[in-house]
Amino acid sequence: MGNFYEQVYAVVRRIPQGKVTSYGRIAQMLGQPRAARAVGYALNALKDKDEKYADVPWQRVINNQGRISIVNRENSASHQAELLRKEGVVVDENLRVNLDVYLWEGLHWVEIDDILGS
DNA sequence: ACAGTGACAACAT
DNA sequence: TATGTTGCCACTG
């Protein structure tokens, strides 16, 4: 596992309850604006990890269109929707979230430096 | 070393 | 809006 994954998890852990962000925005925060797919890949890898990563709120990451990206895989998409609704995020019947309301502002460079410099 | 694989995103129809 | 296409990148066998 590369350090990139760890950086992704560190940022995702900072997303407050009731807010969401996108794969692309996380990639930007990490200084790699085109690594959106890799971010999704990193979150996908969480299911193969131990309880040490159980606190990563992966459900708070959706795509840039404000839509849940998980495709099929035994309804895990609706599962993500349920987790978000429990946190107070409104997810419509088409698995869409209003980013104008729930988008997380993200981290400032000082906080980013704190995370990456660990 | 290298081709294949995604929970992406931008752009074109 | 809704699809389809193309470029991307970290990670994996």
PDB file of all heavy atoms in Angstrom, chain A residues 23-24 37 63-64, chain B residues 6-10:
ATOM      1  N   TYR A  23     -14.381  12.812  -5.123  1.00  0.00           N
ATOM      2  CA  TYR A  23     -13.102  12.136  -5.338  1.00  0.00           C
ATOM      3  C   TYR A  23     -12.090  13.133  -5.895  1.00  0.00           C
ATOM      4  O   TYR A  23     -10.947  13.193  -5.450  1.00  0.00           O
ATOM      5  CB  TYR A  23     -13.284  10.980  -6.326  1.00  0.00           C
ATOM      6  CG  TYR A  23     -14.316   9.978  -5.884  1.00  0.00           C
ATOM      7  CD1 TYR A  23     -15.652  10.101  -6.272  1.00  0.00           C
ATOM      8  CD2 TYR A  23     -13.968   8.904  -5.056  1.00  0.00           C
ATOM      9  CE1 TYR A  23     -16.615   9.180  -5.861  1.00  0.00           C
ATOM     10  CE2 TYR A  23     -14.913   7.982  -4.641  1.00  0.00           C
ATOM     11  CZ  TYR A  23     -16.243   8.133  -5.042  1.00  0.00           C
ATOM     12  OH  TYR A  23     -17.182   7.243  -4.633  1.00  0.00           O
ATOM     13  N   GLY A  24     -12.539  13.902  -6.882  1.00  0.00           N
ATOM     14  CA  GLY A  24     -11.652  14.865  -7.518  1.00  0.00           C
ATOM     15  C   GLY A  24     -11.152  15.934  -6.562  1.00  0.00           C
ATOM     16  O   GLY A  24      -9.997  16.357  -6.633  1.00  0.00           O
ATOM     17  N   ARG A  37      -9.538   9.040  -9.942  1.00  0.00           N
ATOM     18  CA  ARG A  37      -9.817   7.601 -10.026  1.00  0.00           C
ATOM     19  C   ARG A  37      -9.048   6.837  -8.961  1.00  0.00           C
ATOM     20  O   ARG A  37      -9.542   5.870  -8.392  1.00  0.00           O
ATOM     21  CB  ARG A  37      -9.452   7.058 -11.413  1.00  0.00           C
ATOM     22  CG  ARG A  37     -10.310   7.626 -12.515  1.00  0.00           C
ATOM     23  CD  ARG A  37     -10.117   6.875 -13.804  1.00  0.00           C
ATOM     24  NE  ARG A  37     -10.908   5.653 -13.829  1.00  0.00           N
ATOM     25  CZ  ARG A  37     -10.985   4.859 -14.861  1.00  0.00           C
ATOM     26  NH1 ARG A  37     -10.306   5.126 -15.947  1.00  0.00           N
ATOM     27  NH2 ARG A  37     -11.750   3.785 -14.832  1.00  0.00           N
ATOM     28  N   ASN A  63     -19.335  11.538  -6.258  1.00  0.00           N
ATOM     29  CA  ASN A  63     -18.661  12.122  -7.425  1.00  0.00           C
ATOM     30  C   ASN A  63     -18.981  13.607  -7.569  1.00  0.00           C
ATOM     31  O   ASN A  63     -19.790  14.159  -6.834  1.00  0.00           O
ATOM     32  CB  ASN A  63     -18.991  11.353  -8.704  1.00  0.00           C
ATOM     33  CG  ASN A  63     -20.445  11.490  -9.096  1.00  0.00           C
ATOM     34  OD1 ASN A  63     -21.085  12.517  -8.848  1.00  0.00           O
ATOM     35  ND2 ASN A  63     -20.967  10.449  -9.706  1.00  0.00           N
ATOM     36  N   ASN A  64     -18.329  14.219  -8.526  1.00  0.00           N
ATOM     37  CA  ASN A  64     -18.411  15.673  -8.680  1.00  0.00           C
ATOM     38  C   ASN A  64     -19.773  16.149  -9.158  1.00  0.00           C
ATOM     39  O   ASN A  64     -20.025  17.342  -9.176  1.00  0.00           O
ATOM     40  CB  ASN A  64     -17.327  16.153  -9.653  1.00  0.00           C
ATOM     41  CG  ASN A  64     -16.966  17.597  -9.409  1.00  0.00           C
ATOM     42  OD1 ASN A  64     -16.907  18.054  -8.270  1.00  0.00           O
ATOM     43  ND2 ASN A  64     -16.743  18.333 -10.477  1.00  0.00           N
TER      44      ASN A  64
ATOM     45  P    DG B   6     -12.069  -4.023 -12.142  1.00  0.00           P
ATOM     46  OP1  DG B   6     -12.118  -4.142 -10.672  1.00  0.00           O
ATOM     47  OP2  DG B   6     -12.597  -5.118 -12.966  1.00  0.00           O
ATOM     48  O5'  DG B   6     -12.763  -2.791 -12.628  1.00  0.00           O
ATOM     49  C5'  DG B   6     -13.321  -1.640 -12.230  1.00  0.00           C
ATOM     50  C4'  DG B   6     -12.877  -0.986 -10.967  1.00  0.00           C
ATOM     51  O4'  DG B   6     -11.518  -0.506 -11.151  1.00  0.00           O
ATOM     52  C3'  DG B   6     -13.725   0.228 -10.686  1.00  0.00           C
ATOM     53  O3'  DG B   6     -13.803   0.483  -9.302  1.00  0.00           O
ATOM     54  C2'  DG B   6     -12.965   1.345 -11.410  1.00  0.00           C
ATOM     55  C1'  DG B   6     -11.521   0.899 -11.264  1.00  0.00           C
ATOM     56  N9   DG B   6     -10.749   1.241 -12.458  1.00  0.00           N
ATOM     57  C8   DG B   6     -11.035   0.907 -13.757  1.00  0.00           C
ATOM     58  N7   DG B   6     -10.168   1.353 -14.622  1.00  0.00           N
ATOM     59  C5   DG B   6      -9.249   2.021 -13.853  1.00  0.00           C
ATOM     60  C6   DG B   6      -8.071   2.713 -14.228  1.00  0.00           C
ATOM     61  O6   DG B   6      -7.612   2.870 -15.365  1.00  0.00           O
ATOM     62  N1   DG B   6      -7.416   3.260 -13.126  1.00  0.00           N
ATOM     63  C2   DG B   6      -7.845   3.143 -11.824  1.00  0.00           C
ATOM     64  N2   DG B   6      -7.087   3.740 -10.900  1.00  0.00           N
ATOM     65  N3   DG B   6      -8.929   2.493 -11.454  1.00  0.00           N
ATOM     66  C4   DG B   6      -9.579   1.960 -12.506  1.00  0.00           C
ATOM     67  P    DA B   7     -14.983  -0.047  -8.400  1.00  0.00           P
ATOM     68  OP1  DA B   7     -14.224  -0.483  -7.246  1.00  0.00           O
ATOM     69  OP2  DA B   7     -15.920  -0.952  -9.087  1.00  0.00           O
ATOM     70  O5'  DA B   7     -15.760   1.254  -7.921  1.00  0.00           O
ATOM     71  C5'  DA B   7     -16.705   1.900  -8.727  1.00  0.00           C
ATOM     72  C4'  DA B   7     -16.934   3.293  -8.195  1.00  0.00           C
ATOM     73  O4'  DA B   7     -17.441   3.198  -6.851  1.00  0.00           O
ATOM     74  C3'  DA B   7     -15.687   4.144  -8.127  1.00  0.00           C
ATOM     75  O3'  DA B   7     -16.009   5.503  -8.401  1.00  0.00           O
ATOM     76  C2'  DA B   7     -15.236   3.996  -6.677  1.00  0.00           C
ATOM     77  C1'  DA B   7     -16.583   3.878  -5.957  1.00  0.00           C
ATOM     78  N9   DA B   7     -16.489   3.099  -4.734  1.00  0.00           N
ATOM     79  C8   DA B   7     -16.329   1.752  -4.632  1.00  0.00           C
ATOM     80  N7   DA B   7     -16.294   1.335  -3.397  1.00  0.00           N
ATOM     81  C5   DA B   7     -16.446   2.488  -2.634  1.00  0.00           C
ATOM     82  C6   DA B   7     -16.479   2.727  -1.260  1.00  0.00           C
ATOM     83  N6   DA B   7     -16.384   1.770  -0.357  1.00  0.00           N
ATOM     84  N1   DA B   7     -16.641   3.991  -0.847  1.00  0.00           N
ATOM     85  C2   DA B   7     -16.739   4.954  -1.768  1.00  0.00           C
ATOM     86  N3   DA B   7     -16.713   4.853  -3.086  1.00  0.00           N
ATOM     87  C4   DA B   7     -16.573   3.589  -3.447  1.00  0.00           C
ATOM     88  P    DC B   8     -15.922   5.945  -9.930  1.00  0.00           P
ATOM     89  OP1  DC B   8     -17.256   5.899 -10.479  1.00  0.00           O
ATOM     90  OP2  DC B   8     -14.832   5.193 -10.561  1.00  0.00           O
ATOM     91  O5'  DC B   8     -15.462   7.476  -9.830  1.00  0.00           O
ATOM     92  C5'  DC B   8     -14.547   7.868  -8.841  1.00  0.00           C
ATOM     93  C4'  DC B   8     -13.842   9.116  -9.279  1.00  0.00           C
ATOM     94  O4'  DC B   8     -13.019   8.827 -10.428  1.00  0.00           O
ATOM     95  C3'  DC B   8     -14.763  10.259  -9.676  1.00  0.00           C
ATOM     96  O3'  DC B   8     -14.211  11.501  -9.236  1.00  0.00           O
ATOM     97  C2'  DC B   8     -14.788  10.180 -11.188  1.00  0.00           C
ATOM     98  C1'  DC B   8     -13.408   9.668 -11.498  1.00  0.00           C
ATOM     99  N1   DC B   8     -13.363   8.865 -12.739  1.00  0.00           N
ATOM    100  C2   DC B   8     -12.560   9.298 -13.808  1.00  0.00           C
ATOM    101  O2   DC B   8     -11.922  10.339 -13.695  1.00  0.00           O
ATOM    102  N3   DC B   8     -12.530   8.555 -14.939  1.00  0.00           N
ATOM    103  C4   DC B   8     -13.236   7.437 -15.013  1.00  0.00           C
ATOM    104  N4   DC B   8     -13.165   6.753 -16.143  1.00  0.00           N
ATOM    105  C5   DC B   8     -14.035   6.983 -13.937  1.00  0.00           C
ATOM    106  C6   DC B   8     -14.081   7.714 -12.826  1.00  0.00           C
ATOM    107  P    DA B   9     -15.102  12.826  -9.498  1.00  0.00           P
ATOM    108  OP1  DA B   9     -14.671  13.787  -8.461  1.00  0.00           O
ATOM    109  OP2  DA B   9     -16.519  12.456  -9.639  1.00  0.00           O
ATOM    110  O5'  DA B   9     -14.581  13.365 -10.900  1.00  0.00           O
ATOM    111  C5'  DA B   9     -13.205  13.687 -11.043  1.00  0.00           C
ATOM    112  C4'  DA B   9     -12.974  14.401 -12.366  1.00  0.00           C
ATOM    113  O4'  DA B   9     -12.944  13.450 -13.450  1.00  0.00           O
ATOM    114  C3'  DA B   9     -14.062  15.412 -12.723  1.00  0.00           C
ATOM    115  O3'  DA B   9     -13.433  16.480 -13.416  1.00  0.00           O
ATOM    116  C2'  DA B   9     -14.965  14.628 -13.648  1.00  0.00           C
ATOM    117  C1'  DA B   9     -13.951  13.780 -14.397  1.00  0.00           C
ATOM    118  N9   DA B   9     -14.472  12.532 -14.939  1.00  0.00           N
ATOM    119  C8   DA B   9     -15.446  11.713 -14.427  1.00  0.00           C
ATOM    120  N7   DA B   9     -15.689  10.643 -15.143  1.00  0.00           N
ATOM    121  C5   DA B   9     -14.808  10.766 -16.208  1.00  0.00           C
ATOM    122  C6   DA B   9     -14.558   9.952 -17.328  1.00  0.00           C
ATOM    123  N6   DA B   9     -15.185   8.813 -17.570  1.00  0.00           N
ATOM    124  N1   DA B   9     -13.621  10.360 -18.200  1.00  0.00           N
ATOM    125  C2   DA B   9     -12.974  11.503 -17.966  1.00  0.00           C
ATOM    126  N3   DA B   9     -13.117  12.350 -16.946  1.00  0.00           N
ATOM    127  C4   DA B   9     -14.062  11.914 -16.090  1.00  0.00           C
ATOM    128  P    DA B  10     -14.170  17.877 -13.618  1.00  0.00           P
ATOM    129  OP1  DA B  10     -13.438  18.898 -12.849  1.00  0.00           O
ATOM    130  OP2  DA B  10     -15.621  17.697 -13.423  1.00  0.00           O
ATOM    131  O5'  DA B  10     -13.897  18.145 -15.166  1.00  0.00           O
ATOM    132  C5'  DA B  10     -12.589  17.946 -15.679  1.00  0.00           C
ATOM    133  C4'  DA B  10     -12.648  17.854 -17.190  1.00  0.00           C
ATOM    134  O4'  DA B  10     -13.125  16.556 -17.590  1.00  0.00           O
ATOM    135  C3'  DA B  10     -13.611  18.878 -17.795  1.00  0.00           C
ATOM    136  O3'  DA B  10     -12.999  19.453 -18.941  1.00  0.00           O
ATOM    137  C2'  DA B  10     -14.832  18.055 -18.152  1.00  0.00           C
ATOM    138  C1'  DA B  10     -14.223  16.692 -18.465  1.00  0.00           C
ATOM    139  N9   DA B  10     -15.115  15.564 -18.243  1.00  0.00           N
ATOM    140  C8   DA B  10     -16.018  15.392 -17.237  1.00  0.00           C
ATOM    141  N7   DA B  10     -16.694  14.259 -17.300  1.00  0.00           N
ATOM    142  C5   DA B  10     -16.178  13.646 -18.432  1.00  0.00           C
ATOM    143  C6   DA B  10     -16.467  12.419 -19.056  1.00  0.00           C
ATOM    144  N6   DA B  10     -17.376  11.547 -18.604  1.00  0.00           N
ATOM    145  N1   DA B  10     -15.786  12.116 -20.172  1.00  0.00           N
ATOM    146  C2   DA B  10     -14.873  12.976 -20.636  1.00  0.00           C
ATOM    147  N3   DA B  10     -14.517  14.162 -20.140  1.00  0.00           N
ATOM    148  C4   DA B  10     -15.213  14.433 -19.022  1.00  0.00           C
TER     149       DA B  10
END
